[in-house]
Amino acid sequence: MSEPRWLNETELRAWTGFLETSDLLHRMVEQQLREVGGVTTVQYDILHRLNESPEKRLCMTDLAERLVSSRSGITYQVAQLEKAGLLRREDAPDDERRVLAAITEKGRRVLERTAPGHVEAVRAGLLDALTPDQTAQLAAIMDAARTRLRGTVRLHPPRRPRSR
């Protein structure tokens, strides 16, 4: 067994800084979204993804994949949003096994109300602390890391065959 590649001082500072900054920024954004829209960060992201999709709806599996979430986690969040009238579930017209989540007019109004403060929180908590060059570097770093991780991390456990 080979020796672990321990983090050097700079790498450790980068890693712990990433974790702390991510946690603090998440709390800041979460507070803003709950106060203004009554939604969590995950719920806001679901509504945003649906609103940005061409047909204002997405298959639940695609939604889970885009949000890097389990299918059961997305199902729970969608149920909460459906109860609040912010989205609705629909059967896919081309495949009865697929379920779609579609944003409602009420869901679009929540986005309209929360988006300005959401963007301001992201700016105040992160982007305003960076120069334009640093923002471009951060974007490139996140693109590289995301691409590598999307290619190696299994997002969903394999489906078990149905027993008959």
Side-chain angles (χ1 to χ4, degrees):
M1 183 167 183
S2 63
E3 180 69 18
R5 294 180 0 177
W6 299 110
L7 302 180
N8 65 34
E9 188 176 321
T10 303
E11 292 167 335
L12 183 59
R13 201 173 100 235
W15 173 241
T16 58
F18 167 79
L19 290 176
E20 186 176 352
T21 301
S22 178
D23 289 345
L24 289 167
L25 187 58
H26 184 267
R27 281 181 187 254
M28 182 180 185
V29 168
E30 184 86 12
Q31 288 170 354
Q32 182 273 329
L33 290 172
R34 283 186 183 276
E35 288 171 11
V36 176
V39 293
T40 65
T41 305
V42 172
Q43 292 169 344
Y44 178 88
D45 204 8
I46 290 169
L47 293 173
H48 173 75
R49 302 285 177 127
L50 294 174
N51 196 55
E52 293 299 308
S53 69
E55 296 179 1
K56 308 296 184 205
R57 64 182 42 86
L58 288 169
C59 174
M60 296 282 284
T61 304
D62 292 342
L63 196 54
E65 175 108 357
R66 291 178 189 193
L67 295 172
V68 191
S69 180
S70 67
R71 287 184 285 264
S72 63
I74 287 297
T75 299
Y76 173 79
Q77 294 298 333
V78 164
Q80 298 304 306
L81 290 165
E82 189 174 35
K83 264 191 235 175
L86 304 178
L87 61 72
R88 67 182 173 279
R89 284 186 260 204
E90 305 172 347
D91 292 329
D94 59 336
D95 185 348
E96 64 191 34
R97 295 170 297 173
R98 290 182 27 204
V99 176
L100 305 175
I103 191 166
T104 63
E105 185 57 40
K106 184 176 179 183
R108 281 195 282 280
R109 286 194 307 270
V110 166
L111 281 180
E112 289 170 7
R113 189 170 65 248
T114 55
H118 175 70
V119 170
E120 187 52 42
V122 171
R123 286 192 179 286
L126 179 65
L127 299 175
D128 289 348
L130 306 175
T131 66
D133 285 345
Q134 289 171 322
T135 301
Q137 289 171 343
L138 179 60
I141 290 165
M142 292 296 106
D143 288 345
R146 180 178 38 251
T147 298
R148 181 181 181 125
L149 289 168
R150 283 264 183 202
T152 59
V153 175
R154 185 184 318 162
L155 299 177
H156 306 290
R159 289 184 186 256
R160 286 182 281 162
R162 290 185 178 181
S163 58
R164 293 187 181 223

